[in-house]
Amino acid sequence: MGASESVPRKPHQPIDEITTVSERIEGVDPLLERIKSLNIATPLLNSLPPSEISISDILVRKPSSSSSIQGNLNPKVLLELFSMYREWQEGKVKNICGKQEEIDSKIETADALAVKLLQRFNYSVSAMRSTAHGLAEVQNLQVEVGELKGRLTEVMSNCDALCKRIAAEGVESSHLAHL
């Protein structure tokens, strides 16, 4: 059920609405653009062929499998690598925080909708109870109306009989004197 769905309302019912506004950030991811703009740089190790050592060996300074090969790390490249990693982590943290805020907002909206639905449900239950009570009393009213209808029919037939006697015997009838 959407918040903007139109529901016919009775004039005495309160209007309750929930409006949600959310922004979608549409655009290019700056980290992705930065990664795409990277160029091939000088090797991290000056004297080592790239196939003989892995990036994890470089980052944790593990010696290579062949101990005869020694390499020197370029500190500027390593600093740039760590700063890029840190920026990437900060971007991920911001993204996660943004998503968490969005989820919190959606949870609050769902809670508010649940409260409104509960109020409407309770109102409907109350209306159904009063209707059921009214319908239960209809049977008693039907019995009373039937009894009154029988009495009225009897009175009407007595009136008709009296009118016929008056028409037949006249106003000064001996039967009328007894009434």
Side-chain angles (χ1 to χ4, degrees):
M1 175 189 268
S4 63
E5 185 177 314
S6 64
V7 177
R9 293 187 180 95
K10 295 180 183 176
H12 66 281
Q13 277 185 314
I15 297 174
D16 52 351
E17 295 178 350
I18 296 175
T19 304
T20 57
V21 177
S22 64
E23 284 187 26
R24 288 187 108 179
I25 300 173
E26 306 244 354
V28 181
D29 186 8
L31 290 175
L32 184 61
E33 284 299 312
R34 189 166 178 196
I35 290 173
K36 286 181 181 178
S37 68
L38 290 176
N39 294 324
I40 297 176
T42 58
L44 294 175
L45 296 176
N46 295 333
S47 64
L48 221 110
S51 64
E52 294 185 13
I53 194 160
S54 69
I55 190 75
S56 61
D57 291 337
I58 294 171
L59 293 177
V60 295
R61 293 185 181 234
K62 288 184 181 177
S64 177
S65 59
S66 61
S67 60
S68 63
I69 302 174
Q70 297 277 330
N72 295 325
L73 290 176
N74 185 344
K76 290 181 182 178
V77 174
L78 190 59
L79 178 65
E80 184 179 342
L81 182 64
F82 279 123
S83 66
M84 283 177 58
Y85 179 72
R86 182 176 179 192
E87 288 175 13
W88 175 78
Q89 278 185 325
E90 289 172 354
K92 285 293 185 184
V93 166
K94 286 180 184 177
N95 188 17
I96 289 170
C97 288
K99 287 182 180 180
Q100 186 175 0
E101 288 175 5
E102 184 179 329
I103 289 170
D104 288 344
S105 173
K106 287 180 181 181
I107 288 172
E108 288 175 10
T109 302
D111 285 345
L113 284 173
V115 167
K116 294 294 180 185
L117 287 173
L118 181 62
Q119 288 173 348
R120 288 182 181 174
F121 175 75
N122 287 338
Y123 174 78
S124 297
V125 167
S126 173
M128 285 191 286
R129 282 182 182 156
S130 65
T131 302
H133 180 70
L135 288 175
E137 291 179 2
V138 166
Q139 177 65 30
N140 295 336
L141 290 175
Q142 284 178 334
V143 170
E144 287 181 31
V145 166
E147 290 173 1
L148 290 174
K149 184 178 175 184
R151 290 180 190 167
L152 182 61
T153 304
E154 185 181 336
V155 168
M156 294 285 288
S157 70
N158 288 344
C159 262
D160 282 343
L162 186 61
C163 287
K164 287 179 184 176
R165 281 188 193 161
I166 291 174
E169 298 177 8
V171 179
E172 309 250 341
S173 168
S174 62
H175 293 288
L176 288 177
H178 295 291
L179 292 176

